[in-house]
Amino acid sequence: MFTGLIEELGEIVRWQQIGDAGRLTVRGPLAVSDAAHGDSISVNGVCLTVTEQGDDWFTADVMGQTLAMSTIGQWAVGDAVNLERAASVGDRLGGHIVQGHIDGTTTVLERREHDDWRVLRFSLDAAHAPLVVDKGSIAIDGVSLTVSAAGDDWFEVSLIPETLEKTTLGRKQVGGTANIETDILARHVARLVRFGAASEGRTDS
């Protein structure tokens, strides 16, 4: 479980494709400062399990489904990534509940500059559109954000200078891709509504 508050910018130091899976090594001194084998670390919003580690790096295995659902297959050595250690019991929940289970990817459609902040507009596919609402929570590359506007096939977030400086979102250009995780509460409600509608459609024999 994560909060979506990025702790440091890491760097991809190795990416090895192994069949339909892969192995990723990331430099992140803070992320591994108290990590142990089997711990979870969020890398651009993807929950990965530490399999090996050194003083300032860790390695994680990436399964085929994760590759298919996320942007990991597009990463290259030298890329910066957002890192967050799993939340501890008793921590303040400064962002929102983020599982690190990616729903899919999105593309930057528009980038609007303001004096002290920036608006990014992202694409939104039909499957996830009902789960994204104005003023609701969303995680983009692991960053907890508030949706500032939403349409049928797009949504926007407004980024303050701290977010632009401390995360990879400040580097996003039009056409760039990102991982998204919709709010867990929205996903549960959508499923309940779907099953409720199905139940109403059935008649007793």
Side-chain angles (χ1 to χ4, degrees), residues 104-123:
T105 62
T106 182
T107 302
V108 180
L109 301 176
E110 185 179 335
R111 171 175 155 152
R112 301 198 304 275
E113 303 287 345
H114 297 269
D115 290 341
D116 296 313
W117 49 292
R118 180 181 302 157
V119 174
L120 293 182
R121 176 175 288 197
F122 289 90
S123 63

Side-chain angles (χ1 to χ4, degrees), residues 145-202:
L145 295 166
T146 300
V147 177
S148 55
D152 291 343
D153 58 1
W154 59 267
F155 70 94
E156 293 181 348
V157 292
S158 300
L159 307 177
I160 61 174
E162 178 76 6
T163 305
L164 294 172
E165 179 183 355
K166 300 297 186 182
T167 77
T168 60
L169 296 184
R171 312 177 190 191
K172 291 292 183 187
Q173 302 293 328
V174 172
T177 57
N179 299 314
I180 60 168
E181 180 184 333
T182 56
D183 185 60
I184 185 174
L185 297 178
R187 297 201 301 271
H188 278 296
V189 169
R191 185 169 175 81
L192 287 169
V193 169
R194 187 163 65 250
F195 273 90
S199 297
E200 290 178 2
R202 292 197 296 266

